[in-house]
Amino acid sequence: MNADAPRLTLPEELVLLSFDPVSKRKLWRAGSSLAYGVAGAALAELRLAGRVVEEGGRVRVTNPLPPDEPLLATAMASLQRPGKGARDRGPRTVAWVRSTSRHLEEACLTRLVKSGALRVEPRRFLGVIPYRRHSVGPVDLTAQTRGRFELARRGGFADPRARALAALASAIGISGALCPGWGRRQERQAMHRLMRADWAARAVHKNRMRDSADAGGSGGGG
């Protein structure tokens, strides 16, 4: 690994894992669930730093000092909004992930674009509706991130940070892309178990499953 490579946050690493280093495009399996993953990764990063815990399905701040990293500082600020009654115990984890996901994802993508790790491609749907598509940028941190993930996988995800990243990757549905093939199903199952044991990743997965159920319900009459 390049010693001069920037120190990436867990949200940034998860985003980069969601891009194919060959095609340079976002994995279709990540889809809209990547936004939930970014929010969950911010929680996991704060947890690893000893700043938050989960109690009774709610996120409680244990160290109110704002982190130096802007994205994590934004996440912390949204966890500390003043409230009364139940809100004093902190927001519900699943609801917080859903409500902050788009904002945190946009901030994370913007930072990666500024660093050159991603680029933005303006597009038009049906030649009319403008939208943006992200792809791997000139500073290819995607392959490096994949390489670090592979080393962690070979080591059995022994490090708490590696376990958190593997759990989040499973939560957003990209474990199959990271560990493809029938022969690696046990590795995918191991990542799924890590997800089940990680409260931040579980919140991400619950939101993803809710979207899947809503989409199935809306299409049931077709």
Side-chain angles (χ1 to χ4, degrees):
M1 181 179 68
N2 184 354
D4 296 327
R7 170 71 158 77
L8 298 172
T9 64
L10 271 177
E12 289 170 324
E13 287 191 279
L14 184 66
V15 169
L16 292 174
L17 281 181
S18 300
F19 282 79
D20 187 329
V22 177
S23 71
K24 310 295 185 183
R25 296 181 180 180
K26 188 169 86 169
L27 299 169
W28 72 270
R29 290 286 300 180
S32 59
S33 64
L34 179 57
Y36 301 139
V38 169
L43 286 180
E45 190 85 87
L46 293 171
R47 180 189 66 210
L48 290 170
R51 293 178 179 273
V52 300
V53 295
E54 187 187 54
E55 295 177 345
R58 295 178 181 272
V59 185
R60 181 170 69 85
V61 174
T62 56
N63 181 350
L65 293 177
D68 293 333
E69 206 287 324
L71 179 68
L72 300 180
T74 298
M76 275 283 288
S78 71
L79 290 167
Q80 295 175 295
R81 290 173 181 165
K84 297 181 180 179
R87 291 185 181 180
D88 291 338
R89 303 197 305 272
R92 293 193 179 278
T93 311
V94 174
W96 184 88
V97 165
R98 177 168 287 270
S99 65
T100 63
S101 59
R102 293 301 178 193
H103 176 66
L104 292 179
E105 182 192 36
E106 186 62 30
C108 189
L109 290 171
T110 298
R111 173 165 165 161
L112 288 170
V113 169
K114 287 182 178 179
S115 73
L118 296 179
R119 62 161 51 96
V120 180
E121 302 173 351
R123 301 277 173 155
R124 286 187 178 274
F125 180 67
L126 298 178
V128 178
I129 304 172
Y131 71 97
R132 299 179 304 161
R133 184 174 73 181
H134 290 84
S135 61
V136 174
V139 182
D140 188 2
L141 300 181
T142 302
Q144 294 180 24
T145 303
R146 286 284 185 108
R148 286 192 298 272
F149 183 86
E150 182 64 13
L151 287 175
R153 181 198 63 77
R154 293 176 185 176
F157 300 117
D159 178 78
R161 186 182 182 85
R163 289 197 294 273
L165 186 58
L168 289 159
S170 179
I172 66 172
I174 63 171
S175 58
L178 299 175
C179 300
W182 178 255
R184 301 183 68 178
R185 65 191 183 281
Q186 291 185 343
E187 298 175 35
R188 297 193 294 274
Q189 291 169 352
M191 292 174 65
H192 184 77
R193 288 192 293 272
L194 289 173
M195 182 270 293
R196 299 275 295 180
D198 185 303
W199 56 264
R202 285 200 309 273
V204 173
H205 187 255
K206 286 179 180 179
N207 277 298
R208 177 182 162 219
M209 291 298 98
R210 173 180 163 182
D211 285 357
S212 179
D214 289 347
S218 64

